[in-house]
């Protein structure tokens, strides 16, 4: 006989209520921060805070000074965001502190800006130097890119090393290298976003009910280092994979059972999928029978 689940105790109910209140408070603080920044950035607010003959009385000077300070910070932040949006790649010079560094320690830095879910992520950096004697040829020195980005292949294509034994040395093209690298970074994050979209479409982000049926999809995640394959699993140990191209478009949908490749289910779900939403609809229809 199956025993019914025990009712939550008063202590557990209190803990759940406290957790819910903490989440609500965090959401309210975030909303307050967004609304405050929006008000401070409004032109009417900026005009109101400008010094004038009819300024506030002396008793309001401290609060006015604080408002002006916050408005200046918001203005600087807006300017920074506009710059990061308009200049997705920035070049800058770096001095290597190593006294034995090549080329006198001169390093060219490249900063790549990436945005996801309307927020800027931590920038990626690529450092280049000139290690070749009496030559202006560049070489990758350091980088903070994910291992999925084929920076070595792009460098071999657009920043080839000089060939002293050859009469005609290959030409380097830094501009094309930067453009291609930027495109690969954006593609990589687009593929990561596809996985999150599939989780959201299948209702895994906001699942509250703990009741899981054998036909329910319980897990969705990246299956390879390049984020070109998404693995999803059912509660009964079946699994599947979505294979994507470089731009995140769906190429193939495969299904696996306990004994390996499930060809029958794969044929049943076979189709042409342009977007990840099409895959989610097909999986939902399959789960619902």
């Amino acid at each position: 006989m199956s025993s019914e689940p025990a009712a939550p105790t008063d202590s557990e109910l209190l803990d759940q209520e406290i957790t819910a209140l903490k989440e609500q408070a965090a959401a309210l603080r975030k909303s307050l921060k967004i609304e405050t920044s929006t008000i401070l950035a409004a032109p009417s607010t900026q005009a109101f805070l400008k010094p004038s003959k009819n300024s506030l009385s002396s008793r309001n000077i401290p609060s006015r000074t604080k408002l002006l300070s916050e408005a200046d910070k918001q203005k600087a932040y807006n300017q920074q965001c506009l710059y990061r949006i308009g200049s997705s790649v920035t070049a800058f010079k770096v001095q290597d502190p190593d006294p034995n560094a090549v080329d006198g320690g001169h390093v060219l830095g490249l900063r790549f800006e990436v945005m996801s879910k309307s927020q800027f992520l931590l920038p990626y950096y690529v450092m280049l130097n000139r290690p070749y004697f009496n030559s202006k040829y560049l070489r990758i020195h350091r980088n903070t890119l994910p291992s999925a980005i084929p920076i070595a292949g792009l460098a071999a294509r657009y920043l080839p090393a000089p060939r002293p034994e050859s009469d005609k040395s290959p030409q380097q093209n830094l501009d094309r290298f930067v453009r291609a690298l930027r495109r690969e970074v954006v593609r990589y994050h687009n593929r990561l976003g596809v996985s999150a979209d599939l989780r959201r479409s299948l209702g895994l982000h906001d699942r509250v009910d703990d009741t899981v049926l054998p036909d329910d999809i319980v897990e969705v995640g990246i299956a390879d280092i390049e984020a070109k394959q998404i693995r999803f699993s059912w509660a009964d140990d079946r699994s599947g994979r979505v294979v994507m191209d470089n731009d995140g478009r769906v190429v193939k949908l495969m299904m696996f059972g306990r004994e390996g490749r499930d060809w029958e289910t794969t044929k049943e779900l076979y189709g042409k999928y342009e977007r990840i939403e099409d895959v989610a609809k097909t999986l939902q229809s399959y789960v619902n029978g």
Side-chain angles (χ1 to χ4, degrees), residues 5 33 129 132 148 181 188 216 225 229 233 246:
K33 186 176 181 180
N129 58 10
Y132 308 107
L181 188 57
Y188 172 72
D216 287 345
I225 192 173
Q229 297 185 21
S233 304
N246 291 333

Side-chain angles (χ1 to χ4, degrees), residues 119-164:
Q119 292 182 345
F120 285 106
L121 304 179
L122 288 177
Y124 294 117
Y125 293 92
V126 176
M127 305 296 176
L128 304 101
N129 58 10
R130 291 172 173 169
Y132 308 107
F133 177 73
N134 198 21
S135 174
K136 293 185 178 181
Y137 277 69
L138 295 169
R139 185 191 66 176
I140 303 296
H141 178 52
R142 294 283 189 274
N143 73 88
T144 62
L145 295 171
S147 55
I149 306 299
I151 185 173
L154 295 176
R157 181 176 182 180
Y158 297 111
L159 301 177
R163 300 173 184 172

Side-chain angles (χ1 to χ4, degrees), residues 171-183:
Q171 297 295 321
Q172 291 190 339
N173 194 325
L174 181 60
D175 181 67
R176 294 190 64 182
F177 169 76
V178 171
R179 291 175 183 271
L181 188 57
R182 163 70 179 171
R183 182 169 58 251

Side-chain angles (χ1 to χ4, degrees), residues 72-251:
D72 290 340
K73 291 180 182 179
Q74 184 62 38
K75 186 177 181 180
Y77 178 75
N78 292 343
Q79 185 177 8
Q80 180 186 17
C81 290
L82 287 173
Y83 177 81
R84 296 179 72 177
I85 292 173
S87 302
S88 57
V89 181
T90 306
F92 56 95
K93 294 181 180 180
V94 181
Q95 181 64 39
D96 193 335
D98 186 358
N100 299 319
V102 298
D103 194 26
H106 298 294
V107 177
L108 174 64
L110 300 173
R111 181 176 62 221
F112 294 83
E113 301 287 356
V114 183
M115 179 178 285
S116 177
K117 298 179 182 178
S118 302
Q119 292 182 345
F120 285 106
L121 304 179
L122 288 177
Y124 294 117
Y125 293 92
V126 176
M127 305 296 176
L128 304 101
N129 58 10
R130 291 172 173 169
Y132 308 107
F133 177 73
N134 198 21
S135 174
K136 293 185 178 181
Y137 277 69
L138 295 169
R139 185 191 66 176
I140 303 296
H141 178 52
R142 294 283 189 274
N143 73 88
T144 62
L145 295 171
S147 55
I149 306 299
I151 185 173
L154 295 176
R157 181 176 182 180
Y158 297 111
L159 301 177
R163 300 173 184 172
E165 70 282 357
S166 176
D167 296 335
K168 186 178 181 181
S169 297
Q171 297 295 321
Q172 291 190 339
N173 194 325
L174 181 60
D175 181 67
R176 294 190 64 182
F177 169 76
V178 171
R179 291 175 183 271
L181 188 57
R182 163 70 179 171
R183 182 169 58 251
E184 290 296 332
V185 171
V186 173
R187 283 175 169 178
Y188 172 72
H189 281 277
N190 285 342
R191 295 194 296 270
L192 292 179
V194 169
S195 174
D197 291 341
L198 182 58
R199 287 182 57 86
R200 191 176 297 105
S201 300
L202 295 175
L204 298 181
H205 271 303
D206 51 359
R207 173 174 287 178
V208 179
D209 189 5
D210 294 334
T211 304
V212 178
L213 301 177
D215 288 334
D216 287 345
I217 297 177
V218 296
E219 183 183 1
V220 174
I222 299 296
D224 67 323
I225 192 173
E226 293 183 332
K228 291 184 178 180
Q229 297 185 21
I230 301 176
R231 184 179 186 274
F232 50 92
S233 304
W234 278 272
D236 59 357
D237 294 335
R238 289 178 299 162
S239 64
R241 288 203 179 192
V242 176
V243 182
M244 301 176 292
D245 61 9
N246 291 333
D247 295 316
R249 291 189 291 266
V250 179
V251 176

